Coordinates of all heavy atoms in Angstrom, one line a residue:
M1 N 0.8 -1.2 0.0 CA 0.0 0.0 0.0 C 0.9 1.3 0.0 O 1.8 1.4 0.8 CB -0.9 0.0 1.2 CG -2.2 0.6 1.0 SD -3.3 0.5 2.5 CE -3.4 -1.3 2.6
P2 N 0.6 2.1 -0.9 CA 1.4 3.3 -1.0 C 1.2 4.3 0.2 O 0.1 4.7 0.5 CB 1.0 4.0 -2.3 CG -0.4 3.5 -2.6 CD -0.5 2.1 -1.9
L3 N 2.3 4.6 0.8 CA 2.2 5.6 1.9 C 2.9 6.9 1.5 O 4.1 6.9 1.2 CB 2.9 4.9 3.1 CG 2.9 5.8 4.4 CD1 1.5 6.0 4.9 CD2 3.8 5.1 5.5
Y4 N 2.1 7.9 1.5 CA 2.6 9.2 1.1 C 2.8 10.1 2.3 O 2.0 10.1 3.3 CB 1.7 9.9 0.1 CG 1.6 9.1 -1.2 CD1 0.5 8.3 -1.5 CD2 2.7 9.1 -2.1 CE1 0.5 7.6 -2.7 CE2 2.6 8.4 -3.3 CZ 1.5 7.7 -3.6 OH 1.4 7.0 -4.7
E5 N 3.8 10.9 2.3 CA 4.0 11.9 3.3 C 3.8 13.3 2.8 O 4.2 13.7 1.8 CB 5.5 11.8 3.9 CG 5.7 12.7 5.0 CD 7.1 12.6 5.6 OE1 7.9 11.8 5.0 OE2 7.4 13.2 6.5
Y6 N 3.0 14.0 3.6 CA 2.7 15.4 3.2 C 3.2 16.3 4.3 O 3.2 16.0 5.5 CB 1.2 15.5 3.0 CG 0.6 14.9 1.8 CD1 0.3 13.6 1.7 CD2 0.5 15.7 0.6 CE1 -0.2 13.1 0.5 CE2 0.0 15.2 -0.6 CZ -0.3 13.9 -0.6 OH -0.8 13.3 -1.8
A7 N 3.5 17.5 3.9 CA 3.9 18.5 4.9 C 2.9 19.7 4.7 O 2.7 20.2 3.5 CB 5.3 18.9 4.7
C8 N 2.4 20.2 5.8 CA 1.5 21.3 5.7 C 2.4 22.6 5.6 O 3.3 22.8 6.4 CB 0.7 21.4 6.9 SG -0.4 22.9 7.0
T9 N 2.1 23.4 4.6 CA 2.9 24.6 4.4 C 2.4 25.7 5.3 O 3.1 26.7 5.3 CB 2.8 25.0 2.9 OG1 1.4 25.2 2.6 CG2 3.4 24.0 2.0
D10 N 1.3 25.5 5.9 CA 0.8 26.5 6.9 C 1.5 26.4 8.2 O 2.0 27.4 8.8 CB -0.7 26.5 7.0 CG -1.4 27.2 5.9 OD1 -0.7 27.4 4.8 OD2 -2.5 27.7 6.0
C11 N 1.4 25.2 8.8 CA 1.9 25.0 10.2 C 3.2 24.2 10.2 O 3.8 24.0 11.2 CB 0.8 24.4 11.1 SG 0.4 22.7 10.7
G12 N 3.5 23.6 9.0 CA 4.7 22.8 8.9 C 4.5 21.4 9.5 O 5.5 20.6 9.6
H13 N 3.3 21.0 9.8 CA 3.1 19.7 10.3 C 3.3 18.6 9.2 O 2.8 18.8 8.1 CB 1.7 19.6 10.9 CG 1.3 18.2 11.4 ND1 2.0 17.6 12.4 CD2 0.3 17.4 11.1 CE1 1.5 16.5 12.7 NE2 0.5 16.3 11.9
R14 N 3.9 17.5 9.6 CA 4.1 16.5 8.6 C 3.2 15.3 9.0 O 3.2 14.9 10.2 CB 5.6 16.0 8.6 CG 6.4 17.0 7.8 CD 7.8 16.3 7.7 NE 8.7 17.1 6.8 CZ 9.9 16.7 6.4 NH1 10.3 15.5 6.8 NH2 10.7 17.4 5.7
F15 N 2.6 14.7 8.1 CA 1.9 13.5 8.4 C 1.9 12.6 7.2 O 2.1 12.9 6.0 CB 0.4 13.9 8.7 CG -0.3 14.8 7.7 CD1 -1.1 14.2 6.8 CD2 0.0 16.1 7.6 CE1 -1.7 15.0 5.8 CE2 -0.6 16.9 6.7 CZ -1.5 16.3 5.8
E16 N 1.5 11.3 7.4 CA 1.5 10.3 6.4 C 0.1 9.9 6.1 O -0.7 9.8 7.0 CB 2.4 9.1 6.8 CG 3.9 9.5 6.9 CD 4.6 8.3 7.5 OE1 4.0 7.5 8.2 OE2 5.9 8.3 7.3
I17 N -0.1 9.6 4.8 CA -1.4 9.2 4.4 C -1.3 8.0 3.5 O -0.5 7.9 2.6 CB -2.1 10.3 3.7 CG1 -2.5 11.5 4.6 CG2 -3.4 9.8 3.0 CD1 -3.2 12.6 4.0
L18 N -2.2 7.0 3.8 CA -2.3 5.9 2.9 C -3.2 6.2 1.8 O -4.4 6.5 2.0 CB -2.8 4.7 3.7 CG -1.8 4.0 4.6 CD1 -2.5 2.9 5.4 CD2 -0.7 3.3 3.8
Q19 N -2.7 6.3 0.6 CA -3.4 6.8 -0.5 C -3.4 5.8 -1.6 O -2.4 5.3 -2.1 CB -2.8 8.1 -1.0 CG -3.6 8.8 -2.1 CD -3.0 10.1 -2.5 OE1 -2.0 10.4 -2.0 NE2 -3.6 10.7 -3.4
R20 N -4.6 5.4 -2.0 CA -4.7 4.5 -3.1 C -4.3 5.1 -4.5 O -4.4 6.3 -4.6 CB -6.1 3.9 -3.3 CG -6.6 3.2 -2.0 CD -8.0 2.7 -2.2 NE -8.6 2.2 -1.0 CZ -9.8 2.0 -0.8 NH1 -10.7 2.2 -1.8 NH2 -10.3 1.5 0.3
L21 N -3.9 4.3 -5.3 CA -3.5 4.8 -6.7 C -4.8 5.4 -7.4 O -5.8 4.7 -7.4 CB -2.9 3.7 -7.5 CG -1.5 3.2 -7.0 CD1 -1.1 2.1 -7.9 CD2 -0.6 4.3 -7.0
G22 N -4.6 6.5 -7.9 CA -5.7 7.1 -8.6 C -6.7 7.9 -7.7 O -7.6 8.5 -8.2
E23 N -6.5 7.8 -6.4 CA -7.4 8.5 -5.5 C -7.1 10.0 -5.6 O -6.0 10.4 -5.6 CB -7.2 8.0 -4.1 CG -8.2 8.5 -3.2 CD -8.1 7.9 -1.8 OE1 -7.3 6.9 -1.7 OE2 -8.8 8.3 -0.9
D24 N -8.1 10.7 -5.5 CA -8.0 12.2 -5.6 C -7.5 12.7 -4.3 O -8.0 12.5 -3.2 CB -9.4 12.8 -5.9 CG -9.2 14.3 -6.2 OD1 -8.1 14.7 -6.4 OD2 -10.3 14.9 -6.4
A25 N -6.4 13.5 -4.4 CA -5.8 14.0 -3.2 C -6.2 15.4 -2.9 O -5.7 16.1 -2.1 CB -4.2 14.0 -3.4
A26 N -7.2 15.9 -3.7 CA -7.7 17.3 -3.5 C -8.4 17.5 -2.2 O -8.5 18.6 -1.7 CB -8.6 17.6 -4.7
Q27 N -8.8 16.4 -1.6 CA -9.6 16.6 -0.4 C -8.7 16.5 0.9 O -9.2 16.6 2.0 CB -10.7 15.6 -0.3 CG -11.7 15.8 -1.4 CD -12.9 14.8 -1.3 OE1 -12.8 13.9 -0.5 NE2 -13.9 15.0 -2.0
L28 N -7.5 16.3 0.6 CA -6.6 16.2 1.8 C -6.4 17.5 2.5 O -6.3 18.5 1.9 CB -5.2 15.7 1.3 CG -5.2 14.2 0.8 CD1 -3.8 13.9 0.3 CD2 -5.7 13.3 1.9
E29 N -6.3 17.4 3.8 CA -6.1 18.6 4.5 C -5.3 18.3 5.8 O -5.2 17.2 6.2 CB -7.4 19.3 4.9 CG -8.3 18.4 5.8 CD -9.6 19.1 6.2 OE1 -10.0 20.0 5.4 OE2 -10.2 18.7 7.2
C30 N -4.6 19.3 6.3 CA -3.8 19.1 7.5 C -4.7 18.7 8.7 O -5.7 19.4 8.9 CB -3.1 20.4 7.8 SG -2.1 20.4 9.3
P31 N -4.3 17.7 9.3 CA -5.1 17.2 10.5 C -5.0 18.2 11.7 O -5.8 18.1 12.6 CB -4.4 15.9 10.9 CG -3.1 15.9 10.3 CD -3.2 16.8 9.1
L32 N -4.0 19.1 11.6 CA -3.8 20.0 12.7 C -4.6 21.3 12.5 O -5.4 21.7 13.3 CB -2.4 20.3 12.9 CG -1.6 19.3 13.7 CD1 -0.2 19.8 14.1 CD2 -2.3 18.9 15.0
C33 N -4.3 22.0 11.4 CA -4.9 23.3 11.1 C -5.9 23.2 10.0 O -6.5 24.3 9.7 CB -3.8 24.3 10.8 SG -3.0 24.0 9.3
E34 N -6.1 22.1 9.4 CA -7.1 21.9 8.4 C -6.9 22.7 7.2 O -7.8 23.0 6.4 CB -8.5 22.2 9.0 CG -8.9 21.3 10.1 CD -10.3 21.5 10.6 OE1 -10.9 22.5 10.1 OE2 -10.9 20.7 11.3
A35 N -5.7 23.1 7.0 CA -5.3 23.8 5.8 C -5.2 22.8 4.6 O -4.8 21.7 4.9 CB -4.0 24.6 6.0
E36 N -5.4 23.3 3.5 CA -5.3 22.4 2.3 C -4.0 22.7 1.5 O -3.8 22.2 0.4 CB -6.5 22.6 1.4 CG -7.8 22.2 2.1 CD -9.0 22.4 1.2 OE1 -8.8 22.6 0.0 OE2 -10.1 22.2 1.7
N37 N -3.1 23.5 2.1 CA -1.9 23.8 1.5 C -0.8 22.8 1.9 O -0.1 22.9 2.8 CB -1.4 25.2 1.9 CG -2.4 26.3 1.6 OD1 -3.1 26.2 0.5 ND2 -2.6 27.2 2.5
L38 N -0.9 21.7 1.1 CA 0.0 20.6 1.5 C 1.1 20.4 0.4 O 0.8 20.6 -0.8 CB -0.8 19.3 1.6 CG -2.0 19.4 2.6 CD1 -2.7 18.0 2.6 CD2 -1.5 19.7 4.0
E39 N 2.2 20.0 0.9 CA 3.3 19.7 0.0 C 3.7 18.2 0.1 O 4.0 17.7 1.1 CB 4.5 20.6 0.4 CG 5.4 20.8 -0.7 CD 6.4 21.9 -0.3 OE1 7.2 21.7 0.6 OE2 6.5 23.0 -1.0
K40 N 3.6 17.6 -1.1 CA 3.9 16.2 -1.1 C 5.4 15.9 -0.9 O 6.2 16.4 -1.6 CB 3.4 15.6 -2.4 CG 3.3 14.0 -2.3 CD 2.6 13.5 -3.6 CE 2.4 12.0 -3.5 NZ 1.7 11.5 -4.7
Q41 N 5.7 15.1 0.1 CA 7.1 14.7 0.3 C 7.3 13.4 -0.5 O 6.4 12.5 -0.6 CB 7.3 14.5 1.8 CG 6.9 15.6 2.6 CD 7.6 16.9 2.4 OE1 8.8 16.9 2.5 NE2 6.9 17.9 1.9
F42 N 8.5 13.2 -1.0 CA 8.8 12.1 -1.8 C 9.0 10.8 -1.0 O 8.3 9.8 -1.3 CB 10.1 12.3 -2.6 CG 9.8 13.2 -3.8 CD1 10.2 14.5 -3.8 CD2 9.2 12.7 -4.9 CE1 9.9 15.3 -4.9 CE2 8.9 13.4 -6.0 CZ 9.3 14.8 -6.0
S43 N 9.8 10.8 0.0 CA 10.0 9.6 0.7 C 10.5 10.0 2.1 O 11.2 10.9 2.3 CB 11.0 8.7 0.1 OG 11.4 7.7 0.9
T44 N 10.0 9.2 3.1 CA 10.4 9.4 4.4 C 11.9 9.2 4.6 O 12.6 9.7 5.4 CB 9.6 8.5 5.4 OG1 8.3 8.6 5.1 CG2 9.8 8.9 6.8
F45 N 12.4 8.2 3.8 CA 13.8 7.8 3.9 C 14.7 8.8 3.2 O 15.9 8.9 3.5 CB 14.0 6.4 3.3 CG 13.1 5.4 4.0 CD1 11.9 5.0 3.5 CD2 13.6 4.9 5.2 CE1 11.2 4.1 4.1 CE2 12.8 3.9 5.9 CZ 11.6 3.5 5.3
A46 N 14.1 9.6 2.2 CA 15.0 10.4 1.4 C 15.3 11.7 2.2 O 16.2 12.4 1.9 CB 14.3 10.7 0.1
S47 N 14.4 12.1 3.1 CA 14.6 13.3 3.8 C 14.9 13.1 5.2 O 14.1 13.0 6.1 CB 13.3 14.2 3.7 OG 12.2 13.4 4.2
T48 N 16.2 13.0 5.5 CA 16.6 12.7 6.8 C 17.4 13.9 7.4 O 18.2 13.8 8.3 CB 17.6 11.5 6.9 OG1 18.6 11.7 6.0 CG2 16.8 10.2 6.5
S49 N 17.1 15.0 6.8 CA 17.8 16.2 7.2 C 17.5 16.6 8.6 O 18.4 17.0 9.4 CB 17.5 17.4 6.2 OG 16.1 17.5 6.1
D50 N 16.2 16.6 8.9 CA 15.9 17.0 10.3 C 15.4 15.8 11.1 O 14.4 15.8 11.8 CB 14.8 18.1 10.3 CG 13.5 17.6 9.6 OD1 13.5 16.5 9.0 OD2 12.5 18.3 9.8
G51 N 16.0 14.7 10.9 CA 15.6 13.4 11.4 C 15.5 13.3 12.9 O 15.3 14.2 13.6
K52 N 15.9 12.1 13.4 CA 15.9 11.9 14.8 C 14.5 11.8 15.4 O 14.3 11.5 16.6 CB 16.7 12.9 15.6 CG 18.1 12.8 15.3 CD 18.9 13.6 16.3 CE 20.4 13.5 16.1 NZ 21.2 14.2 17.0
S53 N 13.4 12.0 14.6 CA 12.1 11.8 15.1 C 11.6 10.5 14.7 O 10.6 10.0 15.2 CB 11.2 12.9 14.5 OG 11.2 12.9 13.1
A54 N 12.3 9.8 13.8 CA 11.9 8.5 13.4 C 12.6 7.4 14.3 O 13.8 7.3 14.3 CB 12.3 8.3 11.9
P55 N 11.7 6.7 14.9 CA 12.3 5.6 15.8 C 12.8 4.5 15.0 O 12.2 4.0 14.1 CB 11.0 5.2 16.6 CG 9.9 5.5 15.7 CD 10.3 6.8 15.0
A56 N 14.0 4.1 15.4 CA 14.6 3.0 14.7 C 14.0 1.7 15.2 O 13.8 1.5 16.4 CB 16.1 3.0 14.9
G57 N 13.8 0.8 14.3 CA 13.3 -0.5 14.7 C 11.8 -0.6 14.7 O 11.3 -1.1 15.7
S58 N 11.2 0.1 13.8 CA 9.7 0.1 13.8 C 9.2 -1.2 13.1 O 8.0 -1.2 12.8 CB 9.2 1.3 13.1 OG 9.8 1.5 11.9
C59 N 10.1 -2.1 12.9 CA 9.7 -3.3 12.2 C 9.3 -4.4 13.1 O 9.7 -5.5 13.0 CB 10.9 -3.8 11.3 SG 10.7 -3.1 9.6
G60 N 8.6 -4.1 14.1 CA 8.0 -5.1 15.0 C 8.9 -5.4 16.1 O 10.1 -5.2 16.2
G61 N 8.3 -6.0 17.1 CA 9.0 -6.4 18.3 C 9.4 -7.9 18.4 O 10.0 -8.3 19.4
G62 N 9.0 -8.6 17.4 CA 9.3 -10.0 17.4 C 8.4 -10.8 18.3 O 8.8 -11.8 19.0
S63 N 7.1 -10.5 18.3 CA 6.2 -11.2 19.1 C 5.1 -11.8 18.3 O 4.4 -11.1 17.6 CB 5.6 -10.3 20.2 OG 5.0 -9.2 19.6
G64 N 5.0 -13.1 18.3 CA 3.9 -13.7 17.6 C 4.1 -14.0 16.2 O 3.2 -14.5 15.5
F65 N 5.2 -13.7 15.6 CA 5.4 -13.9 14.2 C 6.5 -14.9 14.0 O 7.7 -14.6 14.1 CB 5.7 -12.6 13.5 CG 5.1 -12.5 12.1 CD1 4.0 -13.2 11.8 CD2 5.7 -11.8 11.1 CE1 3.4 -13.1 10.5 CE2 5.2 -11.7 9.9 CZ 4.0 -12.4 9.6
T66 N 6.1 -16.2 13.9 CA 7.2 -17.2 13.8 C 7.5 -17.6 12.4 O 6.7 -18.2 11.8 CB 6.8 -18.4 14.6 OG1 6.1 -18.0 15.8 CG2 8.0 -19.3 14.9
Ligands
ZN101 ZN1 -1.3 22.6 9.1

């Protein structure tokens, strides 16, 4: 499932949205300030300039998956 990251140009809030292919992104809005001025980010991994907010090891805790 494609996961897109958007950044609100009004408040600078970043959030990720699961967006289906072909789905209209015109209705997207910032969950914080409800602004529709969003900037699509290419990849969470490509922009590590201001990182350290991404927890390492989000790939599960090793419980129940054998
Ligand atoms: Zn915002």
